[in-house]
Amino acid sequence: MSDVRRPIKAALLQVHSIAGLALALLWAVVGITGATMAFEDEIEASLNSHIMRVDASAKPRLTPDELVTRLQSAGDFGRASAVTMASDPSAAARIRFARSEGGARPSSVYVDPYDGHVLGSPSGEDFFATVRKLHRWLLLPGDGNGMGRKITGTAAIGLIVMLITGLVLRWPHRARSVKIWLKPNLGLRGRGLHRSLHAVIGTWVLPVYLVMTLTGLWYSFEWYKAGANWLLARPQPTDAGMQPKPPRGAAADKREAKTDSSAEAKSLAFDRVWTTFLQQEKNDYGRVLLTLPAGAGTAVRVRSWPRDSSLESVRDEFRIDAVTGHVISSDRYADKTFGERVLAGVLDIHRGAILGWPGKLAFMLAAAMMPLFAVTGLLLYLSRRKHRRLVRPPMGRLVPGE
């Protein structure tokens, strides 16, 4: 190694080591929780197949308001905040509820779309909700409005630094050697084996980690999201009647007007929105989610997914006034530019779903390997310290040549 490169690599190694020691445990937590959620939809579908399906019938299905009314007559489930309907005649409807005064959200329930009787609450829902909060916000107070969101975002930036410094540090003299880059030397022992696993497997997962961090920052920092929108999306005209979603950190539910907004939310219904939506889509949908506003306002958000897509990002979105049935805004996936489709698909890209189940599997395995780098990185750090102590001469003793 040349005299010029040696101090540079030494400095990068220091940065790599310090950042790794400081953030390794956090990355391990985020990686394990991310891997746990990789096949969340498939796991929940398997666990709850007995309540997610009903016998198809020729009689008409109930409207969203009829479902909510029958549910409320069956017991005290809380205020319904969202209803999921499907075009599949054998699919159950799902009803979600608003948060209680203490901030807790009751479990959702599946109901028979033909008679409204309760089929049950889905198993695994609360577990995955907790895992998601740990993954995104570290279970810290405030959820998305608290410090956890910024901590995970800062850790993502730190991981980008680790990826760049790690790539520079392991750059071989023979850069074209595929064997050096991609094949770990399992015949080694101790420090050599730890270094080989850390470096080679790190090379395998580096592109995946880079995609994960760049998309994960979307959920952590508003400045990052604004920059991505400026870069990839078309400028949106301002609409006075739009009632946009308030930014994180703001009092979105307007607690100072809590009584008035709660009364207004309770008076809102789904059926006028449902009728308008059917006129817009003309029954050309696979699944639709209607969500009441969390605070003041009458704009109901309607998300519609086609029958032939399993991606979260491939959807149309409307905002419809629950009182008048007027369409406030319409955002169709077919009308998006390439950049806007990228922004809409951030979650699918983040978890590898954009590549189908093989992509989800690859991203899951990469996320699950995060603790490996924490362990091997710590072992390498400790072995370097031990090596330095062994080669450092005792105080007061001269080494040959001095």
Side-chain angles (χ1 to χ4, degrees), residues 83-314:
V83 177
T84 301
M85 309 282 284
S87 60
D88 183 353
S90 62
R94 187 175 187 177
I95 299 178
R96 294 179 172 87
F97 304 97
R99 295 186 184 276
S100 64
E101 292 294 329
R105 187 185 298 277
S107 297
S108 63
V109 295
Y110 282 95
V111 297
D112 191 309
Y114 297 100
D115 58 22
H117 81 267
V118 179
L119 300 172
S121 295
S123 301
E125 181 181 49
D126 292 339
F127 168 76
F128 281 112
T130 302
V131 171
R132 188 174 298 106
K133 288 183 179 180
L134 179 58
H135 180 77
R136 293 181 175 179
W137 311 312
L138 306 176
L139 295 180
L140 294 177
D143 291 342
N145 297 327
M147 285 300 299
R149 180 170 172 247
K150 294 182 175 61
I151 292 174
T152 54
T154 303
I157 295 175
L159 184 55
I160 294 176
V161 173
M162 292 290 290
L163 296 175
I164 295 174
T165 55
L167 181 63
V168 174
L169 287 170
R170 80 147 310 194
W171 194 273
H173 296 294
R174 293 180 296 161
R176 296 181 181 178
S177 174
V178 176
K179 182 178 179 180
I180 291 177
W181 278 103
L182 302 177
K183 184 179 179 182
N185 189 346
L186 301 180
L188 298 173
R189 293 293 182 270
R191 182 183 180 187
L193 178 61
H194 301 155
R195 184 194 299 275
S196 181
L197 293 175
H198 193 87
V200 175
I201 298 179
T203 302
W204 292 348
V205 299
L206 187 148
V208 175
Y209 284 173
L210 189 60
V211 171
M212 286 180 175
T213 51
L214 291 177
T215 51
L217 287 171
W218 171 272
Y219 299 100
S220 295
F221 299 113
E222 291 301 326
W223 59 262
Y224 186 88
K225 181 182 290 188
N229 277 297
W230 174 82
L231 184 64
L232 296 175
R234 294 169 295 182
Q236 297 296 322
T238 302
D239 190 341
M242 183 65 185
Q243 294 179 340
K245 181 179 178 181
R248 292 183 184 269
D253 56 355
K254 298 187 181 297
R255 298 186 185 277
E256 68 278 5
K258 187 175 181 179
T259 303
D260 294 340
S261 63
S262 297
E264 183 179 30
K266 288 180 180 178
S267 67
L268 295 182
F270 291 102
D271 277 3
R272 192 179 295 274
V273 174
W274 179 242
T275 300
T276 302
F277 167 76
L278 292 179
Q279 293 172 350
Q280 292 286 316
E281 293 290 89
K282 304 188 185 303
N283 290 324
D284 187 21
Y285 68 93
R287 175 171 56 96
V288 58
L289 171 63
L290 299 88
T291 305
L292 292 175
T298 60
V300 174
R301 185 182 68 185
V302 182
R303 288 180 172 178
S304 170
W305 291 265
R307 294 184 178 92
D308 57 350
S309 177
S310 60
L311 294 177
E312 174 69 21
S313 58
V314 182

